[in-house]
Structure formats: structure tokens, C-alpha cells
Amino acid sequence: LYHPAAPHVSGGMVEAVRMSSGAGAPIKMAPKAGSGEVSAAIFPAAGVVLGAGSMFFTVLSHMAKGLQPPVPTISMTAFSPGTVAQFVFTGCLVVSAVFLFFTALLVRKAFDQKGFLAGVSFYAGLLSATGMAVTGVVPLQPDIMEILALPRHLRRMNMQSMVHSYAANVFFLAALLHVVVTTALLYFRRQGMWGATPADVKLLNSTISPRSMQLKVISCALSIMFIMSPLLLFMYPKIIGGSRVTMVALNQYGAVASLLTFFGTLTLDLLGTAILISPRSGKLKGE
């Protein structure tokens, strides 16, 4: 039987159907995909893989070549025009942003999230994806390392670097807001609070495992710790080199890893829904 609370967006873009095996029975999830259909969990999974791949490839390539600084921020590894590192950095971040953009839409529809806080979570997710894409498309200026080597009062970042830096800040802050609000909504609504109906509680407990919820809470706490650190936001005009760069870089790695962990849990959650995607038609549907 079709679940009566299943959301639907007109125009054929999204048709998410949740199923029940009968009155009072647990919601049936994870249907078998038909020919050419895959789980909508592919969106957050691909976003996480590409985001992590971009960071690992560019940072490890930088370190393997013995370049300076020895422990760089991610952006310091991909600012040289025409290099493989910049191509990977830009390509992976832009495609990852597209996947995470649609992940925000899928999570809102899959778990039937409504209300002000659900809207905050949704639009923060879209804004963070936009910030990620701009960060990838607009790298730091080619002579950024020479600029940062100057005494602080002589440093002048050009418009390209300013756009990159502020886009990165938008990504981190909007992603943090998305993570915090989404985690709080799912946690409390699973407990029947914050206006959750019995159907909501049943749906959320059927699709979000206790382990997934625990990982969300942990990654949320770590995201707050790393992203709100004064080492991360608005960092480039303040970097003076040496150990300071290392601390900023390690803090940035922690922030990115925390966010990727959170989005990884959404992959597990969407695997438990009846949402499928047909790559040929581009439509999402429930079986």
C-alpha cells in the first residue's frame, strides 16, 4: 500500500513514495530497483566520494612533491592555472556541489520535513552547495604564496582570492547550519517531539538507524568545534606561515572530514527509503 504521507512535487521531478506492509505494520523500505534504476542514496554518496577524493588527491600530491608549505590548506594545493591539481580540485568540487544540492532536496522530501526549521536546513544546504561550487570555480590567485610571504601590513589579496575565501566561508558556515539544524530536527522528531506525528516517528525510526543518528550527533559536534574555530574562518589574510599554516590546515581537514561524515550518514538513511532514480529519465520515484 502507498504510504499516505508520501510527498510529491508536480512536474515529474520528485515522486517519493513510502510503503507500508499493512495497518500498524512497519514501513517497508529499500525496494528492489527496476531496470536502470538506482537508489537516491547515490547523490550523497557521490558527493562524499568526490569531495574526499578532491581533498586527498590535491593535498597528497602537494606533499609528495615536497612543496611548501609542507602541510597546506586545501586551496593552497590547487591555485596554479592549468595544473592537474587545479583541474581535479575544480571538477570534483563543482560536481560534488551538484550532488549535495540535490541531497538537500531529497532529505527534505524523503523525511517529509516541514516548518520553519526544515526550511532553514533546506536552504542552508543549497547555499553551502553553491559556496562549494564557487570555491572550486574561483581558486586563489596564482601568486598567493608570494603574497602570504610578505609582512601582514603589505599583503594585498586580489578580487579573485577574496571571492574564493568568502565563498569558502559561505560553504563552511552554511554547511554547519545545515548540519546542526538537520541533526536537531531528525533527533527530536524521532522522539516524537517538535510537532512530529506518529507517522513521522514511525518513518524516521524505520529509516534512520540509532548508529546513523549517533554519527550525526558526533559529526555535528565536531563540525561546530572545527568550523567555529578562529583558525578556520577568514584565514588567508591572517596566515603568517610556519606552524600557523599547519594548524589552520589541520583544522580545515577536521572540518571537511566532519562534514563528509555527516553527509555519509545521509547515504545510509536514503538507502532505507523507497526513493529510486532512473538515470535515463532523470526522474525520482517510489516503487
Side-chain angles (χ1 to χ4, degrees), residues 111-199:
F111 303 123
D112 204 18
Q113 298 296 297
K114 297 183 178 70
F116 174 76
L117 286 178
V120 170
S121 170
F122 174 64
Y123 289 109
L126 301 187
L127 183 60
S128 68
T130 302
M132 176 189 284
V134 175
T135 300
V137 171
V138 184
L140 292 168
Q141 63 199 77
D143 62 344
I144 187 62
M145 300 310 299
E146 289 80 2
I147 296 298
L148 294 177
L150 297 173
R152 184 177 298 185
H153 69 280
L154 295 177
R155 297 174 195 163
R156 294 293 182 271
M157 294 172 63
N158 65 17
M159 183 58 67
Q160 177 178 329
S161 290
M162 294 300 291
V163 169
H164 175 89
S165 296
Y166 284 109
N169 289 329
V170 167
F171 160 67
F172 279 116
L173 290 174
L176 177 62
L177 181 60
H178 175 71
V179 168
V180 170
V181 176
T182 302
T183 300
L185 276 173
L186 296 179
Y187 180 86
F188 288 108
R189 286 170 65 85
R190 284 178 84 245
Q191 314 303 320
M193 303 166 65
W194 289 16
T197 65

Side-chain angles (χ1 to χ4, degrees), residues 51 73 135 209 236 264 282:
T73 66
T135 300
S209 69
Y236 285 107

Side-chain angles (χ1 to χ4, degrees), residues 5-24:
H8 174 76
V9 175
S10 60
M13 281 298 296
V14 178
E15 186 180 345
V17 181
R18 293 182 286 274
M19 300 175 64
S20 171
S21 59

Side-chain angles (χ1 to χ4, degrees), residues 19-252:
M19 300 175 64
S20 171
S21 59
I27 297 174
K28 181 181 178 182
M29 294 297 169
K32 294 181 179 179
S35 177
E37 294 176 343
V38 295
S39 169
I42 191 70
F43 281 92
V48 168
V49 169
L50 289 171
S54 171
M55 182 177 76
F56 279 116
F57 178 84
T58 56
V59 170
L60 293 179
S61 294
H62 178 99
M63 292 179 174
K65 294 176 183 177
L67 301 176
Q68 294 296 321
V71 183
T73 66
I74 300 170
S75 298
M76 285 180 174
T77 66
F79 59 84
S80 298
T83 60
V84 174
Q86 189 185 70
F87 175 79
V88 171
F89 178 80
T90 299
C92 286
L93 256 63
V94 171
V95 177
S96 179
V98 172
F99 281 118
L100 295 182
F101 185 96
F102 283 103
T103 296
L105 174 64
L106 285 168
V107 168
R108 189 181 193 188
K109 295 302 176 183
F111 303 123
D112 204 18
Q113 298 296 297
K114 297 183 178 70
F116 174 76
L117 286 178
V120 170
S121 170
F122 174 64
Y123 289 109
L126 301 187
L127 183 60
S128 68
T130 302
M132 176 189 284
V134 175
T135 300
V137 171
V138 184
L140 292 168
Q141 63 199 77
D143 62 344
I144 187 62
M145 300 310 299
E146 289 80 2
I147 296 298
L148 294 177
L150 297 173
R152 184 177 298 185
H153 69 280
L154 295 177
R155 297 174 195 163
R156 294 293 182 271
M157 294 172 63
N158 65 17
M159 183 58 67
Q160 177 178 329
S161 290
M162 294 300 291
V163 169
H164 175 89
S165 296
Y166 284 109
N169 289 329
V170 167
F171 160 67
F172 279 116
L173 290 174
L176 177 62
L177 181 60
H178 175 71
V179 168
V180 170
V181 176
T182 302
T183 300
L185 276 173
L186 296 179
Y187 180 86
F188 288 108
R189 286 170 65 85
R190 284 178 84 245
Q191 314 303 320
M193 303 166 65
W194 289 16
T197 65
D200 293 330
V201 175
K202 187 176 182 180
L203 170 66
L204 294 176
N205 281 281
S206 297
T207 55
I208 303 176
S209 69
R211 180 60 56 84
S212 176
M213 197 68 246
Q214 290 169 0
L215 288 174
K216 284 180 177 62
V217 172
I218 293 172
S219 62
C220 178
L222 290 174
S223 295
I224 294 172
M225 181 182 75
F226 286 119
I227 294 176
M228 297 311 295
S229 166
L231 288 174
L232 182 60
L233 299 179
F234 309 102
M235 62 180 121
Y236 285 107
K238 303 175 184 177
I239 287 178
I240 59 175
S243 61
R244 172 95 182 202
V245 175
T246 298
M247 291 301 296
V248 171
L250 292 176
N251 192 84
Q252 188 186 69

